[in-house]
Amino acid sequence: MRKWLTGAVLGYFLYGLFVYWYIYMGGPDSIPEQFKGTSADPGTFMNSRELLLSGEYSRLRNFMYFITVPYEWFILLNVLLTGLSRKMEQWSDSIAKPDFLKTSIYLFWLSLIVTVCVLPVEWINYRISLSYQITTQSTTGWMKDQVIDFWVNFLLMALLVSVLFWLIRKYQKRWWLIAWTLSIPFSLFLMFIQPVVIDPLYNDFYPLENKELEEKILALADKADIPAEHVYEVNMSEKTNALNAYVTGIGSNSRIVLWDTTLNRLKEDEILFIMAHEMGHYVMKHIYVGIAGYLLLTLAGLYAIDKLSSAVIRNWGSILKIDSKKQIAALPLILILIGALTFASDPLTNTVSRYQEKSADMYAIQLTNNKEAAVSSFQELSKAGLSQVHPPFLIKLFRYSHPTILERILYLEEYHAEEQLKESQD
């Protein structure tokens, strides 16, 4: 056990050194020389203070992200190696008879341990964001969200873990396939209720108050053949200065949502471009493509977890204090594998997402035919979130679900140049 703990600490330390070196010294983040002075150059739309803060904040945020991800795995590994997972299993067995109650008791204590260990890191992230004026949320509001997160995640996990371990015990060889089959209606159900049940736990949503703007957005939706009746806004200014808009939900609960920070900071034509971008996602059915991709990855992931967990327990089960994946004590191992596989798949899912975002950008510029508004909206997004215009390669690979601001502006410039060439030829 001491060797494993020493190895885990050393590995985590070396990983942290590499991350620090890459973010602060190794990965170049300045834009290429040929784009200096263009509309994609942050020097043309950010002042010197914004440029300095953007670099500082982006590096800090990226460093904390890459450090935090394996930190949670490290906590779970310690729960296994110290025998704490086995002891919590025995304790839950001694005070409850039904499997669901046993699982819930075990999961509560595991969730509490992880939350307590991760909370200081989350607090640091919050304070960093607050110091750079990205977050505007009060400490009380932040703590309230942490409590809501804990209970929402615990209740969902209690249901999922109970079903998962019941399947593992009853269908040892095919549990992963049955679990995946059951995940399809459950995932669709969650996506259906999220806009009306889960999201309102954190923020207030209401129809867009600016009716004149709503009419223009709905006219744009009609032009795109989208049957929309309302656009929603959400009071994110209580929590952040960043800008955003998104499409959420499926079926009759699907919504186009605008953050009120976006409404307050952007001009009308910039908002219309962003709305056209979200409509592009709807028209090209990116939500359903995303669901299909998620389900395929879930199938591959569950199969991999079945094989990997069996191999780990077979070879190192005595060190991890677990005998079989049927035990609830094996849950930390399964969570480590889920986390590692998710992290490893991020480059793939982000690549697909960036392709969809580019497609939505192209759709929006065709729908609005307003390049200036498109470019200025991207510039404002970068300034409001203090995001890097041209991040290092690995940062983009693992963290960017959207094309970089440099890429998005260059796409629009190229499209505009091509359209002007076609017009001149005609």
Short mmCIF file of all heavy atoms in Angstrom, two decimals, residues 16 42 74 188 395:
data_model
loop_
_atom_site.label_atom_id
_atom_site.label_comp_id
_atom_site.label_asym_id
_atom_site.label_seq_id
_atom_site.Cartn_x
_atom_site.Cartn_y
_atom_site.Cartn_z
N GLY A 16 1.91 17.35 -12.35
CA GLY A 16 1.72 18.77 -12.06
C GLY A 16 2.86 19.62 -12.60
O GLY A 16 2.65 20.72 -13.12
N PRO A 42 -5.89 40.07 -30.70
CA PRO A 42 -6.44 40.69 -29.50
C PRO A 42 -5.89 42.09 -29.24
O PRO A 42 -6.53 42.90 -28.56
CB PRO A 42 -6.04 39.72 -28.37
CG PRO A 42 -4.92 38.92 -28.93
CD PRO A 42 -5.17 38.83 -30.40
N PHE A 74 -7.07 10.65 -7.41
CA PHE A 74 -6.13 10.42 -6.31
C PHE A 74 -6.87 10.21 -5.00
O PHE A 74 -6.53 9.32 -4.20
CB PHE A 74 -5.18 11.62 -6.21
CG PHE A 74 -4.15 11.50 -5.13
CD1 PHE A 74 -3.07 10.63 -5.26
CD2 PHE A 74 -4.25 12.26 -3.98
CE1 PHE A 74 -2.12 10.52 -4.26
CE2 PHE A 74 -3.30 12.16 -2.97
CZ PHE A 74 -2.24 11.28 -3.11
N LEU A 188 -32.48 10.47 -22.21
CA LEU A 188 -33.47 11.29 -22.90
C LEU A 188 -34.41 11.96 -21.91
O LEU A 188 -34.78 13.14 -22.07
CB LEU A 188 -34.27 10.43 -23.89
CG LEU A 188 -33.48 9.87 -25.08
CD1 LEU A 188 -34.35 8.94 -25.91
CD2 LEU A 188 -32.95 11.00 -25.97
N ILE A 395 -4.18 22.64 -24.72
CA ILE A 395 -5.31 23.31 -24.06
C ILE A 395 -6.53 23.26 -24.98
O ILE A 395 -7.64 22.92 -24.56
CB ILE A 395 -4.97 24.77 -23.72
CG1 ILE A 395 -3.71 24.85 -22.86
CG2 ILE A 395 -6.15 25.46 -23.05
CD1 ILE A 395 -3.81 24.14 -21.54
#
